[in-house]
Amino acid sequence: MPSTARTRFRLAGALAAVLVAAGVVTGPAAQAHEQPAHGKPTRATLADLAQRHGRYFGSATDNPELTDTAYTKILGHEFDMITPGNGMKWYATEPRQGVFDWTAGDQIADLARSHHQKVRAHTLVWHSQLPDWLTTKQWTADELRAVLKNHIQTEVRHYRGKVYAWDVVNEAFNEDGTYRETIFYKTLGPGYIADALRWAHQADPRAKLYLNDYNIEAVGPKSDAYYALARQLKAQKVPLDGIGLQAHLALQYGYPTTLENNLRRFSRLGLDTALTEVDVRMLLPATEEKLAQQADWYRDMTKACLAVRRCVGITIWDYTDKYSWIPAFFPGEGAALPWDEQLAPKPAYQAIREALS
């Protein structure tokens, strides 16, 4: 760093310290510089570091692990955005038609509020984890449209003012960019996506509304389909605020090198983007070499988001291997997250810190 830049950096740091001491700056990032009673500086969290860039850094969680106090201590401290892994999905919230159960979703929303965290709510419309009453009946278009509207608006109204954003429609496309033939697509046609966004906006005009999917990190047929749909929805004045790139990556399949360019093209449409379900799995056993490569990928993803102004934040799909979904769905794979099964930080954690610093 040139000497003039170092001088400016020192002056900026000194000014920040003065403002903190005077009580002028009081946000989470400022609090990271405060001196606790024992006189040692508090270590900045991932959320603190992200906030300095105008971003959030979040984690998914799920209800069963909330009894693990060592786990929830880190969850409540390190992150400023929480996503419920399952508690707000259709099977959990409307297990019988017209009968709603908010128990699981409320538990996570209440936990987030108690830690002054925001909530990325997930998800309103998805082809998976639907209740039997919905999937076993043959619906007419009018019937299903009414069911879908009622579900979306009832749930969004319940959480109105309590969530930052919704993944409104999840995983709507196939890998080749064609529409996934879900119960909603087959019965209602592609217009169900615009309807879902409009209904969600009516129920909570302040919530940010996203479309969310996996394998859309790189420029390709599937992300192209989202780009075309987003451009169409924006032209039609449909209330779409952002695109969520899940970023479930695997070392054996390669890094999406066009990620930053992909984020930029969505931002040019006037949309926010976010990395919403990040993990980087590997073939087990984990080795130092694989963990180092994983760390590089986490660093690169973080830098890509920071490089694009409208990439608003990153959420990892739970923060610890102890509660990762990967081993159950991809036998022989795992070690996907920045903390290990003993809740100890891995090289990926330090790489994220370095990128944010």
Side-chain angles (χ1 to χ4, degrees), residues 4-17:
T4 54
R6 285 198 298 269
T7 300
R8 288 197 298 270
F9 184 81
R10 286 197 295 270
L11 289 172
L15 177 59

Side-chain angles (χ1 to χ4, degrees), residues 106-128:
D106 284 357
Q107 184 183 19
I108 292 175
D110 291 345
L111 179 72
R113 185 164 56 251
S114 72
H115 291 122
H116 308 289
Q117 297 163 316
K118 293 182 179 180
V119 176
R120 280 198 89 260
H122 176 82
T123 177
L124 294 169
V125 187
W126 190 31
H127 66 275
S128 187

